[in-house]
Amino acid sequence: MTVATEYGTSNVADRLWEGVQPEAARRLLVSGLGLFAAKGFHGTTTRDIAARARMSPAALYVHYRTKEDLLFQISRIAHEAALAAITPETSGPGDPVRQLKAAVAAFTAWHAHHHTAARVAQYELAALEPAHFRVVAAVRLTIERNFRTMIERGVAAGEFEVSDVPATALAILSLAIDLARWYKPGSRHSPEELSELYAALALRMVRSGG
Amino acid sequence: MTVATEYGTSNVADRLWEGVQPEAARRLLVSGLGLFAAKGFHGTTTRDIAARARMSPAALYVHYRTKEDLLFQISRIAHEAALAAITPETSGPGDPVRQLKAAVAAFTAWHAHHHTAARVAQYELAALEPAHFRVVAAVRLTIERNFRTMIERGVAAGEFEVSDVPATALAILSLAIDLARWYKPGSRHSPEELSELYAALALRMVRSGG
């Protein structure tokens, strides 16, 4: 049995919400996630979410103040997990080539495994209340800064040659984040294959001699 | 007056719908586009669309069979226009390096200028009826094939070194398409600056010596 089967995408995706307690709150969150991904935040009612979780409409308000609060929990957890996925690769010193490669691989694998969570987290940002948006925006900025810093360190070390660091960082992030749009389990490439390929493409994007 | 001001993004975006006649059909389409982009297809009613177009709810059905039919017109026109934007660059023989560079630049500029249309066309595919989806999918496949062909020609000419042509073509498309997610008029870079940068990044992604 391969690792890809043993930890299939749905299992990996489910583990993202393990910290959401109690179990009823988690069931509602997973229900909301599926509906937001399929019909959008504005196309989903709290009644739909409760029904899909096999709970009463009122039960939702025990765990979430509003539908937007449930979206915020999804978005916050997903963004923090995406940041956590790259943190071991980006923290501290080390060879910027190896760091950037590992970070792009981890960020890509995360977005393939969690394509549904990523879709909702990325596409429904405008539905967040200002205070919630600020929390999520801070995590996004940290992710962007981590990529910029790796690129800058590679430039300083003479390994990379980049005309516009912030825009190149955004372009590298786009590779992985856009998986939320098109990746599906059963796509031609596994998350691991995409990781390896995108890490190599990202290195080509920044290395000198292009 | 700069070209960027003379043909600002909103003017360029408006011109996309010039062929939609009569004017009432165009007004409804632009109204639907704005609402789908802000609230999603499922979060928008035909009543909302008519109201935003300052028309009666019944007037919509003079021009569109259903809300889905209106989405289909947006999606079809947007996809055909994105294909048309790259066609002058990709048709016929010619230097594959120059062709790929020009095609990525054109595709990037198109997605920055038409970020709202691209957002709806890309993110609401699942809401299309099967027959409509097939029409749009055929255009998408043509775009993908055009990029693959350019890469394959560059490989054959010894200019490019690419381990996985289909996946690399998708990655290059992701750079431009992901602008639908994050680009806004007033972003740090103009559509033209992003075009130039992404064309250079795409060439780095495919060129040998990486």
Side-chain angles (χ1 to χ4, degrees), chain A residues 39 42 122 140 161 164 167 171 174-175 178 181 189 197 204-205 207, chain B residues 39 42 122 140 161 164 167 171 174-175 178 181 189 197 204-207:
Chain A
K39 308 202 301 172
H42 296 286
Q122 292 291 343
R140 295 168 74 83
E161 196 179 302
D164 184 328
S174 277
L175 292 183
D178 197 46
R181 177 180 61 85
H189 295 83
L197 179 70
R204 281 184 171 205
M205 288 161 81
R207 294 199 88 158
Chain B
K39 308 203 301 170
H42 297 286
Q122 293 291 343
R140 294 168 73 83
E161 196 179 301
D164 184 328
S174 277
L175 292 183
D178 197 46
R181 177 180 61 86
H189 296 83
L197 178 70
R204 282 183 169 204
M205 288 161 81
V206 296
R207 292 199 90 158

PDB file of all heavy atoms in Angstrom, chain A residues 39 42 122 140 161 164 167 171 174-175 178 181 189 197 204-205 207, chain B residues 39 42 122 140 161 164 167 171 174-175 178 181 189 197 204-207:
ATOM      1  N   LYS A  39     -21.550  26.075  -3.461  1.00  0.00           N
ATOM      2  CA  LYS A  39     -22.547  27.086  -3.809  1.00  0.00           C
ATOM      3  C   LYS A  39     -22.132  28.499  -3.417  1.00  0.00           C
ATOM      4  O   LYS A  39     -22.892  29.450  -3.645  1.00  0.00           O
ATOM      5  CB  LYS A  39     -23.887  26.766  -3.120  1.00  0.00           C
ATOM      6  CG  LYS A  39     -24.367  25.310  -3.369  1.00  0.00           C
ATOM      7  CD  LYS A  39     -25.869  25.145  -3.179  1.00  0.00           C
ATOM      8  CE  LYS A  39     -26.336  25.518  -1.798  1.00  0.00           C
ATOM      9  NZ  LYS A  39     -27.807  25.531  -1.677  1.00  0.00           N
ATOM     10  N   HIS A  42     -22.496  33.201  -0.158  1.00  0.00           N
ATOM     11  CA  HIS A  42     -23.774  33.905  -0.276  1.00  0.00           C
ATOM     12  C   HIS A  42     -24.895  32.998  -0.785  1.00  0.00           C
ATOM     13  O   HIS A  42     -26.061  33.326  -0.655  1.00  0.00           O
ATOM     14  CB  HIS A  42     -23.627  35.126  -1.185  1.00  0.00           C
ATOM     15  CG  HIS A  42     -22.691  36.149  -0.642  1.00  0.00           C
ATOM     16  ND1 HIS A  42     -23.000  36.970   0.406  1.00  0.00           N
ATOM     17  CD2 HIS A  42     -21.413  36.472  -0.988  1.00  0.00           C
ATOM     18  CE1 HIS A  42     -21.971  37.761   0.678  1.00  0.00           C
ATOM     19  NE2 HIS A  42     -21.000  37.472  -0.160  1.00  0.00           N
ATOM     20  N   GLN A 122      -9.656  31.132  -0.026  1.00  0.00           N
ATOM     21  CA  GLN A 122      -9.163  32.109  -0.993  1.00  0.00           C
ATOM     22  C   GLN A 122     -10.284  32.897  -1.672  1.00  0.00           C
ATOM     23  O   GLN A 122     -10.131  34.088  -1.936  1.00  0.00           O
ATOM     24  CB  GLN A 122      -8.336  31.414  -2.090  1.00  0.00           C
ATOM     25  CG  GLN A 122      -7.026  30.833  -1.593  1.00  0.00           C
ATOM     26  CD  GLN A 122      -6.003  31.892  -1.187  1.00  0.00           C
ATOM     27  OE1 GLN A 122      -6.121  33.056  -1.555  1.00  0.00           O
ATOM     28  NE2 GLN A 122      -5.024  31.486  -0.425  1.00  0.00           N
ATOM     29  N   ARG A 140      -1.758  35.890   5.790  1.00  0.00           N
ATOM     30  CA  ARG A 140      -1.396  35.951   4.369  1.00  0.00           C
ATOM     31  C   ARG A 140      -0.107  36.748   4.172  1.00  0.00           C
ATOM     32  O   ARG A 140       0.766  36.363   3.390  1.00  0.00           O
ATOM     33  CB  ARG A 140      -2.529  36.586   3.551  1.00  0.00           C
ATOM     34  CG  ARG A 140      -3.790  35.754   3.541  1.00  0.00           C
ATOM     35  CD  ARG A 140      -4.972  36.541   2.977  1.00  0.00           C
ATOM     36  NE  ARG A 140      -4.903  36.719   1.536  1.00  0.00           N
ATOM     37  CZ  ARG A 140      -5.290  35.832   0.643  1.00  0.00           C
ATOM     38  NH1 ARG A 140      -5.762  34.657   1.025  1.00  0.00           N
ATOM     39  NH2 ARG A 140      -5.220  36.102  -0.646  1.00  0.00           N
ATOM     40  N   GLU A 161      18.541  35.515  -9.311  1.00  0.00           N
ATOM     41  CA  GLU A 161      18.600  36.786 -10.040  1.00  0.00           C
ATOM     42  C   GLU A 161      17.158  37.148 -10.344  1.00  0.00           C
ATOM     43  O   GLU A 161      16.518  36.518 -11.195  1.00  0.00           O
ATOM     44  CB  GLU A 161      19.390  36.570 -11.326  1.00  0.00           C
ATOM     45  CG  GLU A 161      19.860  37.841 -11.998  1.00  0.00           C
ATOM     46  CD  GLU A 161      20.660  37.500 -13.252  1.00  0.00           C
ATOM     47  OE1 GLU A 161      21.667  36.775 -13.144  1.00  0.00           O
ATOM     48  OE2 GLU A 161      20.217  37.922 -14.346  1.00  0.00           O
ATOM     49  N   ASP A 164      12.087  41.601  -9.727  1.00  0.00           N
ATOM     50  CA  ASP A 164      11.012  42.157  -8.908  1.00  0.00           C
ATOM     51  C   ASP A 164      10.626  41.095  -7.879  1.00  0.00           C
ATOM     52  O   ASP A 164       9.834  40.192  -8.156  1.00  0.00           O
ATOM     53  CB  ASP A 164       9.826  42.499  -9.824  1.00  0.00           C
ATOM     54  CG  ASP A 164       8.687  43.185  -9.079  1.00  0.00           C
ATOM     55  OD1 ASP A 164       8.478  42.893  -7.886  1.00  0.00           O
ATOM     56  OD2 ASP A 164       7.998  44.012  -9.704  1.00  0.00           O
ATOM     57  N   ALA A 167       6.687  40.736  -6.735  1.00  0.00           N
ATOM     58  CA  ALA A 167       5.826  40.189  -7.795  1.00  0.00           C
ATOM     59  C   ALA A 167       6.200  38.746  -8.113  1.00  0.00           C
ATOM     60  O   ALA A 167       5.334  37.927  -8.432  1.00  0.00           O
ATOM     61  CB  ALA A 167       5.910  41.061  -9.049  1.00  0.00           C
ATOM     62  N   ALA A 171       3.844  35.426  -7.846  1.00  0.00           N
ATOM     63  CA  ALA A 171       3.698  34.493  -8.973  1.00  0.00           C
ATOM     64  C   ALA A 171       3.948  33.057  -8.514  1.00  0.00           C
ATOM     65  O   ALA A 171       3.230  32.137  -8.913  1.00  0.00           O
ATOM     66  CB  ALA A 171       4.658  34.878 -10.103  1.00  0.00           C
ATOM     67  N   SER A 174       1.012  31.897  -6.669  1.00  0.00           N
ATOM     68  CA  SER A 174      -0.098  31.608  -7.593  1.00  0.00           C
ATOM     69  C   SER A 174      -0.079  30.171  -8.088  1.00  0.00           C
ATOM     70  O   SER A 174      -1.132  29.560  -8.266  1.00  0.00           O
ATOM     71  CB  SER A 174      -0.051  32.551  -8.809  1.00  0.00           C
ATOM     72  OG  SER A 174      -0.663  33.782  -8.499  1.00  0.00           O
ATOM     73  N   LEU A 175       1.106  29.641  -8.356  1.00  0.00           N
ATOM     74  CA  LEU A 175       1.197  28.268  -8.847  1.00  0.00           C
ATOM     75  C   LEU A 175       0.442  27.334  -7.905  1.00  0.00           C
ATOM     76  O   LEU A 175      -0.386  26.523  -8.336  1.00  0.00           O
ATOM     77  CB  LEU A 175       2.654  27.804  -8.937  1.00  0.00           C
ATOM     78  CG  LEU A 175       3.552  28.463  -9.974  1.00  0.00           C
ATOM     79  CD1 LEU A 175       4.926  27.812  -9.934  1.00  0.00           C
ATOM     80  CD2 LEU A 175       2.950  28.344 -11.369  1.00  0.00           C
ATOM     81  N   ASP A 178      -3.494  28.371  -7.130  1.00  0.00           N
ATOM     82  CA  ASP A 178      -4.417  28.107  -8.241  1.00  0.00           C
ATOM     83  C   ASP A 178      -4.845  26.634  -8.304  1.00  0.00           C
ATOM     84  O   ASP A 178      -5.803  26.301  -9.004  1.00  0.00           O
ATOM     85  CB  ASP A 178      -3.819  28.568  -9.569  1.00  0.00           C
ATOM     86  CG  ASP A 178      -4.876  28.688 -10.669  1.00  0.00           C
ATOM     87  OD1 ASP A 178      -5.946  29.269 -10.384  1.00  0.00           O
ATOM     88  OD2 ASP A 178      -4.652  28.185 -11.784  1.00  0.00           O
ATOM     89  N   ARG A 181      -8.408  26.033  -7.669  1.00  0.00           N
ATOM     90  CA  ARG A 181      -9.350  26.169  -8.782  1.00  0.00           C
ATOM     91  C   ARG A 181      -9.474  24.876  -9.571  1.00  0.00           C
ATOM     92  O   ARG A 181     -10.585  24.449  -9.887  1.00  0.00           O
ATOM     93  CB  ARG A 181      -8.884  27.311  -9.705  1.00  0.00           C
ATOM     94  CG  ARG A 181      -9.751  27.501 -10.946  1.00  0.00           C
ATOM     95  CD  ARG A 181      -9.228  28.639 -11.813  1.00  0.00           C
ATOM     96  NE  ARG A 181      -7.880  28.414 -12.291  1.00  0.00           N
ATOM     97  CZ  ARG A 181      -7.568  27.706 -13.395  1.00  0.00           C
ATOM     98  NH1 ARG A 181      -8.517  27.191 -14.143  1.00  0.00           N
ATOM     99  NH2 ARG A 181      -6.308  27.537 -13.750  1.00  0.00           N
ATOM    100  N   HIS A 189      -1.928  14.265 -11.988  1.00  0.00           N
ATOM    101  CA  HIS A 189      -0.767  14.221 -11.095  1.00  0.00           C
ATOM    102  C   HIS A 189      -1.197  14.158  -9.640  1.00  0.00           C
ATOM    103  O   HIS A 189      -2.157  14.821  -9.249  1.00  0.00           O
ATOM    104  CB  HIS A 189       0.098  15.456 -11.296  1.00  0.00           C
ATOM    105  CG  HIS A 189       0.713  15.541 -12.657  1.00  0.00           C
ATOM    106  ND1 HIS A 189       0.020  16.042 -13.735  1.00  0.00           N
ATOM    107  CD2 HIS A 189       1.926  15.178 -13.127  1.00  0.00           C
ATOM    108  CE1 HIS A 189       0.795  15.988 -14.808  1.00  0.00           C
ATOM    109  NE2 HIS A 189       1.950  15.464 -14.469  1.00  0.00           N
ATOM    110  N   LEU A 197       7.279  19.018  -9.144  1.00  0.00           N
ATOM    111  CA  LEU A 197       7.338  19.796 -10.383  1.00  0.00           C
ATOM    112  C   LEU A 197       7.331  21.300 -10.095  1.00  0.00           C
ATOM    113  O   LEU A 197       8.123  22.065 -10.658  1.00  0.00           O
ATOM    114  CB  LEU A 197       6.143  19.428 -11.276  1.00  0.00           C
ATOM    115  CG  LEU A 197       6.087  20.202 -12.586  1.00  0.00           C
ATOM    116  CD1 LEU A 197       7.208  19.773 -13.519  1.00  0.00           C
ATOM    117  CD2 LEU A 197       4.737  20.028 -13.270  1.00  0.00           C
ATOM    118  N   ARG A 204      13.495  27.534 -11.139  1.00  0.00           N
ATOM    119  CA  ARG A 204      13.842  28.095 -12.455  1.00  0.00           C
ATOM    120  C   ARG A 204      13.434  29.574 -12.533  1.00  0.00           C
ATOM    121  O   ARG A 204      14.116  30.384 -13.170  1.00  0.00           O
ATOM    122  CB  ARG A 204      13.133  27.323 -13.561  1.00  0.00           C
ATOM    123  CG  ARG A 204      13.793  25.989 -13.916  1.00  0.00           C
ATOM    124  CD  ARG A 204      13.065  25.370 -15.083  1.00  0.00           C
ATOM    125  NE  ARG A 204      13.780  24.205 -15.611  1.00  0.00           N
ATOM    126  CZ  ARG A 204      13.667  23.750 -16.858  1.00  0.00           C
ATOM    127  NH1 ARG A 204      12.865  24.371 -17.718  1.00  0.00           N
ATOM    128  NH2 ARG A 204      14.344  22.701 -17.258  1.00  0.00           N
ATOM    129  N   MET A 205      12.294  29.917 -11.912  1.00  0.00           N
ATOM    130  CA  MET A 205      11.806  31.299 -11.985  1.00  0.00           C
ATOM    131  C   MET A 205      12.759  32.291 -11.326  1.00  0.00           C
ATOM    132  O   MET A 205      12.767  33.475 -11.678  1.00  0.00           O
ATOM    133  CB  MET A 205      10.414  31.396 -11.346  1.00  0.00           C
ATOM    134  CG  MET A 205       9.316  30.757 -12.193  1.00  0.00           C
ATOM    135  SD  MET A 205       7.801  30.379 -11.237  1.00  0.00           S
ATOM    136  CE  MET A 205       7.010  31.984 -11.193  1.00  0.00           C
ATOM    137  N   ARG A 207      16.255  31.553 -10.512  1.00  0.00           N
ATOM    138  CA  ARG A 207      17.695  31.346 -10.673  1.00  0.00           C
ATOM    139  C   ARG A 207      18.272  32.174 -11.805  1.00  0.00           C
ATOM    140  O   ARG A 207      17.595  32.466 -12.787  1.00  0.00           O
ATOM    141  CB  ARG A 207      17.994  29.868 -10.888  1.00  0.00           C
ATOM    142  CG  ARG A 207      17.649  29.087  -9.645  1.00  0.00           C
ATOM    143  CD  ARG A 207      18.317  27.767  -9.625  1.00  0.00           C
ATOM    144  NE  ARG A 207      19.622  27.871  -9.030  1.00  0.00           N
ATOM    145  CZ  ARG A 207      20.284  26.838  -8.502  1.00  0.00           C
ATOM    146  NH1 ARG A 207      19.750  25.642  -8.524  1.00  0.00           N
ATOM    147  NH2 ARG A 207      21.455  27.011  -7.973  1.00  0.00           N
TER     148      ARG A 207
ATOM    149  N   LYS B  39     -21.210  38.085  -5.321  1.00  0.00           N
ATOM    150  CA  LYS B  39     -21.972  37.202  -4.427  1.00  0.00           C
ATOM    151  C   LYS B  39     -22.038  35.766  -4.931  1.00  0.00           C
ATOM    152  O   LYS B  39     -22.649  34.905  -4.277  1.00  0.00           O
ATOM    153  CB  LYS B  39     -23.412  37.730  -4.278  1.00  0.00           C
ATOM    154  CG  LYS B  39     -23.471  39.222  -3.878  1.00  0.00           C
ATOM    155  CD  LYS B  39     -24.763  39.584  -3.207  1.00  0.00           C
ATOM    156  CE  LYS B  39     -25.994  39.319  -4.051  1.00  0.00           C
ATOM    157  NZ  LYS B  39     -27.247  39.466  -3.298  1.00  0.00           N
ATOM    158  N   HIS B  42     -24.796  31.295  -7.230  1.00  0.00           N
ATOM    159  CA  HIS B  42     -25.886  30.770  -6.394  1.00  0.00           C
ATOM    160  C   HIS B  42     -26.390  31.800  -5.393  1.00  0.00           C
ATOM    161  O   HIS B  42     -27.478  31.653  -4.850  1.00  0.00           O
ATOM    162  CB  HIS B  42     -25.438  29.501  -5.676  1.00  0.00           C
ATOM    163  CG  HIS B  42     -25.095  28.384  -6.602  1.00  0.00           C
ATOM    164  ND1 HIS B  42     -26.053  27.655  -7.277  1.00  0.00           N
ATOM    165  CD2 HIS B  42     -23.900  27.880  -7.002  1.00  0.00           C
ATOM    166  CE1 HIS B  42     -25.453  26.748  -8.037  1.00  0.00           C
ATOM    167  NE2 HIS B  42     -24.159  26.859  -7.894  1.00  0.00           N
ATOM    168  N   GLN B 122     -14.047  31.573 -14.552  1.00  0.00           N
ATOM    169  CA  GLN B 122     -13.237  30.494 -13.978  1.00  0.00           C
ATOM    170  C   GLN B 122     -13.883  29.848 -12.762  1.00  0.00           C
ATOM    171  O   GLN B 122     -13.783  28.643 -12.575  1.00  0.00           O
ATOM    172  CB  GLN B 122     -11.853  31.024 -13.564  1.00  0.00           C
ATOM    173  CG  GLN B 122     -10.983  31.450 -14.729  1.00  0.00           C
ATOM    174  CD  GLN B 122     -10.511  30.278 -15.579  1.00  0.00           C
ATOM    175  OE1 GLN B 122     -10.557  29.125 -15.168  1.00  0.00           O
ATOM    176  NE2 GLN B 122     -10.078  30.565 -16.791  1.00  0.00           N
ATOM    177  N   ARG B 140     -11.443  26.009 -23.569  1.00  0.00           N
ATOM    178  CA  ARG B 140     -10.359  25.843 -22.590  1.00  0.00           C
ATOM    179  C   ARG B 140      -9.309  24.875 -23.102  1.00  0.00           C
ATOM    180  O   ARG B 140      -8.108  25.100 -22.952  1.00  0.00           O
ATOM    181  CB  ARG B 140     -10.923  25.340 -21.254  1.00  0.00           C
ATOM    182  CG  ARG B 140     -11.831  26.346 -20.583  1.00  0.00           C
ATOM    183  CD  ARG B 140     -12.603  25.723 -19.432  1.00  0.00           C
ATOM    184  NE  ARG B 140     -11.789  25.468 -18.260  1.00  0.00           N
ATOM    185  CZ  ARG B 140     -11.485  26.357 -17.332  1.00  0.00           C
ATOM    186  NH1 ARG B 140     -11.918  27.607 -17.461  1.00  0.00           N
ATOM    187  NH2 ARG B 140     -10.768  26.036 -16.282  1.00  0.00           N
ATOM    188  N   GLU B 161      13.671  22.997 -22.279  1.00  0.00           N
ATOM    189  CA  GLU B 161      13.943  21.706 -21.659  1.00  0.00           C
ATOM    190  C   GLU B 161      12.869  21.530 -20.592  1.00  0.00           C
ATOM    191  O   GLU B 161      12.911  22.207 -19.557  1.00  0.00           O
ATOM    192  CB  GLU B 161      15.332  21.753 -21.032  1.00  0.00           C
ATOM    193  CG  GLU B 161      15.915  20.403 -20.698  1.00  0.00           C
ATOM    194  CD  GLU B 161      17.309  20.580 -20.102  1.00  0.00           C
ATOM    195  OE1 GLU B 161      18.184  21.159 -20.796  1.00  0.00           O
ATOM    196  OE2 GLU B 161      17.504  20.176 -18.949  1.00  0.00           O
ATOM    197  N   ASP B 164       7.761  17.841 -18.101  1.00  0.00           N
ATOM    198  CA  ASP B 164       6.346  17.470 -18.163  1.00  0.00           C
ATOM    199  C   ASP B 164       5.602  18.613 -18.858  1.00  0.00           C
ATOM    200  O   ASP B 164       5.240  19.612 -18.224  1.00  0.00           O
ATOM    201  CB  ASP B 164       5.829  17.242 -16.739  1.00  0.00           C
ATOM    202  CG  ASP B 164       4.395  16.752 -16.702  1.00  0.00           C
ATOM    203  OD1 ASP B 164       3.600  17.118 -17.597  1.00  0.00           O
ATOM    204  OD2 ASP B 164       4.062  16.006 -15.770  1.00  0.00           O
ATOM    205  N   ALA B 167       1.778  19.556 -17.637  1.00  0.00           N
ATOM    206  CA  ALA B 167       1.732  20.172 -16.305  1.00  0.00           C
ATOM    207  C   ALA B 167       2.419  21.536 -16.309  1.00  0.00           C
ATOM    208  O   ALA B 167       1.990  22.452 -15.589  1.00  0.00           O
ATOM    209  CB  ALA B 167       2.368  19.256 -15.267  1.00  0.00           C
ATOM    210  N   ALA B 171       0.799  25.142 -15.362  1.00  0.00           N
ATOM    211  CA  ALA B 171       1.427  26.040 -14.382  1.00  0.00           C
ATOM    212  C   ALA B 171       1.566  27.444 -14.962  1.00  0.00           C
ATOM    213  O   ALA B 171       1.331  28.440 -14.268  1.00  0.00           O
ATOM    214  CB  ALA B 171       2.786  25.491 -13.960  1.00  0.00           C
ATOM    215  N   SER B 174      -1.702  29.076 -14.918  1.00  0.00           N
ATOM    216  CA  SER B 174      -2.066  29.472 -13.547  1.00  0.00           C
ATOM    217  C   SER B 174      -1.572  30.872 -13.200  1.00  0.00           C
ATOM    218  O   SER B 174      -2.257  31.616 -12.494  1.00  0.00           O
ATOM    219  CB  SER B 174      -1.486  28.481 -12.525  1.00  0.00           C
ATOM    220  OG  SER B 174      -2.326  27.355 -12.386  1.00  0.00           O
ATOM    221  N   LEU B 175      -0.390  31.225 -13.656  1.00  0.00           N
ATOM    222  CA  LEU B 175       0.146  32.552 -13.349  1.00  0.00           C
ATOM    223  C   LEU B 175      -0.860  33.623 -13.757  1.00  0.00           C
ATOM    224  O   LEU B 175      -1.184  34.522 -12.986  1.00  0.00           O
ATOM    225  CB  LEU B 175       1.463  32.804 -14.101  1.00  0.00           C
ATOM    226  CG  LEU B 175       2.686  31.988 -13.709  1.00  0.00           C
ATOM    227  CD1 LEU B 175       3.878  32.447 -14.525  1.00  0.00           C
ATOM    228  CD2 LEU B 175       2.968  32.125 -12.224  1.00  0.00           C
ATOM    229  N   ASP B 178      -4.656  33.163 -12.178  1.00  0.00           N
ATOM    230  CA  ASP B 178      -4.774  33.511 -10.755  1.00  0.00           C
ATOM    231  C   ASP B 178      -4.890  35.018 -10.527  1.00  0.00           C
ATOM    232  O   ASP B 178      -5.236  35.452  -9.432  1.00  0.00           O
ATOM    233  CB  ASP B 178      -3.604  32.913  -9.962  1.00  0.00           C
ATOM    234  CG  ASP B 178      -3.885  32.891  -8.467  1.00  0.00           C
ATOM    235  OD1 ASP B 178      -5.000  32.479  -8.071  1.00  0.00           O
ATOM    236  OD2 ASP B 178      -3.012  33.314  -7.676  1.00  0.00           O
ATOM    237  N   ARG B 181      -8.077  36.124  -9.108  1.00  0.00           N
ATOM    238  CA  ARG B 181      -8.249  36.065  -7.649  1.00  0.00           C
ATOM    239  C   ARG B 181      -7.739  37.339  -6.982  1.00  0.00           C
ATOM    240  O   ARG B 181      -8.405  37.903  -6.126  1.00  0.00           O
ATOM    241  CB  ARG B 181      -7.502  34.847  -7.090  1.00  0.00           C
ATOM    242  CG  ARG B 181      -7.558  34.717  -5.570  1.00  0.00           C
ATOM    243  CD  ARG B 181      -6.806  33.483  -5.091  1.00  0.00           C
ATOM    244  NE  ARG B 181      -5.405  33.521  -5.447  1.00  0.00           N
ATOM    245  CZ  ARG B 181      -4.438  34.117  -4.731  1.00  0.00           C
ATOM    246  NH1 ARG B 181      -4.741  34.707  -3.609  1.00  0.00           N
ATOM    247  NH2 ARG B 181      -3.186  34.110  -5.135  1.00  0.00           N
ATOM    248  N   HIS B 189       1.245  46.730  -9.603  1.00  0.00           N
ATOM    249  CA  HIS B 189       1.703  46.650 -10.991  1.00  0.00           C
ATOM    250  C   HIS B 189       0.550  46.833 -11.964  1.00  0.00           C
ATOM    251  O   HIS B 189      -0.547  46.331 -11.732  1.00  0.00           O
ATOM    252  CB  HIS B 189       2.357  45.297 -11.252  1.00  0.00           C
ATOM    253  CG  HIS B 189       3.601  45.080 -10.452  1.00  0.00           C
ATOM    254  ND1 HIS B 189       3.570  44.631  -9.158  1.00  0.00           N
ATOM    255  CD2 HIS B 189       4.913  45.254 -10.761  1.00  0.00           C
ATOM    256  CE1 HIS B 189       4.814  44.542  -8.691  1.00  0.00           C
ATOM    257  NE2 HIS B 189       5.651  44.909  -9.642  1.00  0.00           N
ATOM    258  N   LEU B 197       6.569  40.866 -16.869  1.00  0.00           N
ATOM    259  CA  LEU B 197       7.204  40.038 -15.835  1.00  0.00           C
ATOM    260  C   LEU B 197       6.837  38.565 -16.006  1.00  0.00           C
ATOM    261  O   LEU B 197       7.700  37.683 -15.954  1.00  0.00           O
ATOM    262  CB  LEU B 197       6.766  40.527 -14.452  1.00  0.00           C
ATOM    263  CG  LEU B 197       7.328  39.713 -13.287  1.00  0.00           C
ATOM    264  CD1 LEU B 197       8.834  39.960 -13.145  1.00  0.00           C
ATOM    265  CD2 LEU B 197       6.623  40.058 -11.973  1.00  0.00           C
ATOM    266  N   ARG B 204      11.617  31.508 -18.302  1.00  0.00           N
ATOM    267  CA  ARG B 204      12.550  30.847 -17.381  1.00  0.00           C
ATOM    268  C   ARG B 204      12.061  29.440 -17.029  1.00  0.00           C
ATOM    269  O   ARG B 204      12.863  28.525 -16.842  1.00  0.00           O
ATOM    270  CB  ARG B 204      12.698  31.660 -16.092  1.00  0.00           C
ATOM    271  CG  ARG B 204      13.595  32.878 -16.226  1.00  0.00           C
ATOM    272  CD  ARG B 204      13.736  33.560 -14.872  1.00  0.00           C
ATOM    273  NE  ARG B 204      14.776  34.574 -14.890  1.00  0.00           N
ATOM    274  CZ  ARG B 204      15.426  34.985 -13.800  1.00  0.00           C
ATOM    275  NH1 ARG B 204      15.149  34.466 -12.620  1.00  0.00           N
ATOM    276  NH2 ARG B 204      16.344  35.913 -13.890  1.00  0.00           N
ATOM    277  N   MET B 205      10.743  29.279 -16.890  1.00  0.00           N
ATOM    278  CA  MET B 205      10.187  27.977 -16.502  1.00  0.00           C
ATOM    279  C   MET B 205      10.464  26.885 -17.540  1.00  0.00           C
ATOM    280  O   MET B 205      10.489  25.705 -17.203  1.00  0.00           O
ATOM    281  CB  MET B 205       8.667  28.096 -16.269  1.00  0.00           C
ATOM    282  CG  MET B 205       8.317  28.848 -14.983  1.00  0.00           C
ATOM    283  SD  MET B 205       6.604  29.470 -14.956  1.00  0.00           S
ATOM    284  CE  MET B 205       5.693  28.013 -14.494  1.00  0.00           C
ATOM    285  N   VAL B 206      10.601  27.285 -18.791  1.00  0.00           N
ATOM    286  CA  VAL B 206      10.747  26.281 -19.856  1.00  0.00           C
ATOM    287  C   VAL B 206      12.158  26.196 -20.440  1.00  0.00           C
ATOM    288  O   VAL B 206      12.475  25.223 -21.139  1.00  0.00           O
ATOM    289  CB  VAL B 206       9.759  26.531 -21.024  1.00  0.00           C
ATOM    290  CG1 VAL B 206       8.319  26.380 -20.541  1.00  0.00           C
ATOM    291  CG2 VAL B 206       9.981  27.901 -21.660  1.00  0.00           C
ATOM    292  N   ARG B 207      12.985  27.190 -20.180  1.00  0.00           N
ATOM    293  CA  ARG B 207      14.284  27.200 -20.864  1.00  0.00           C
ATOM    294  C   ARG B 207      15.271  26.248 -20.210  1.00  0.00           C
ATOM    295  O   ARG B 207      15.240  26.018 -19.010  1.00  0.00           O
ATOM    296  CB  ARG B 207      14.853  28.612 -20.903  1.00  0.00           C
ATOM    297  CG  ARG B 207      13.996  29.485 -21.806  1.00  0.00           C
ATOM    298  CD  ARG B 207      14.719  30.708 -22.236  1.00  0.00           C
ATOM    299  NE  ARG B 207      15.439  30.452 -23.467  1.00  0.00           N
ATOM    300  CZ  ARG B 207      15.819  31.393 -24.310  1.00  0.00           C
ATOM    301  NH1 ARG B 207      15.554  32.652 -24.039  1.00  0.00           N
ATOM    302  NH2 ARG B 207      16.460  31.092 -25.410  1.00  0.00           N
TER     303      ARG B 207
END
